[in-house]
Amino acid sequence: MFLHIGNGENVRKSEVIGIFDLDTATVSKVTQKYINKNEKEGNIDYSDSDLPRSFILIEKNKKYKIKLSRISSSGLIARFENKEIIDFI
């Protein structure tokens, strides 16, 4: 099974380690360092012009990679669990 993470991109559900909200997860210095390290190493993928709202940590071929998404973490989690959600503005 696949998880659609936006902008026509899909990842295998079996490769997903975690789905995180960018605003709340990056409050931690440890998470900030991890993201910065992966950015320097070229392990972050984002192919959209909108601001990312979440990130997905995946493991593929025994390597970790971060995928940024403009879809909220709650939206991605609902997709992962095959639940439908309604966003209120």
Side-chain angles (χ1 to χ4, degrees), residues 21-29 31-32 35 55:
D21 180 86
L22 257 172
D23 288 336
T24 58
T26 54
V27 171
S28 165
K29 297 287 184 197
T31 307
Q32 288 176 7
I35 290 174
F55 68 94

Side-chain angles (χ1 to χ4, degrees), residues 4 8 14 21 25 30 32 34 44 50 54 61 65-66 72 84:
H4 177 69
S14 61
D21 180 86
V30 174
Q32 288 176 7
Y34 183 75
I44 296 182
D50 287 344
S54 60
N61 301 324
K65 191 162 201 90
I66 295 173
S72 69
E84 192 171 322

Side-chain angles (χ1 to χ4, degrees), residues 3 11-19 56-59 80:
L3 171 66
V11 295
R12 290 187 185 277
K13 284 186 175 183
S14 61
E15 297 174 345
V16 174
I17 303 297
I19 299 171
I56 304 97
L57 178 62
I58 64 167
E59 181 182 10
F80 189 87

Side-chain angles (χ1 to χ4, degrees), residues 38-84:
N38 278 278
E39 186 174 27
K40 288 176 186 174
E41 293 174 357
N43 291 330
I44 296 182
D45 288 341
Y46 189 56
S47 58
D48 202 334
S49 59
D50 287 344
L51 287 174
R53 296 174 67 191
S54 60
F55 68 94
I56 304 97
L57 178 62
I58 64 167
E59 181 182 10
K60 187 172 186 176
N61 301 324
K62 298 185 180 185
K63 293 183 181 182
Y64 294 104
K65 191 162 201 90
I66 295 173
K67 301 272 191 177
L68 299 175
S69 176
R70 65 178 169 176
I71 300 171
S72 69
S73 58
S74 60
L76 289 171
I77 291 168
R79 288 180 182 194
F80 189 87
E81 296 173 345
N82 293 320
K83 294 180 182 176
E84 192 171 322

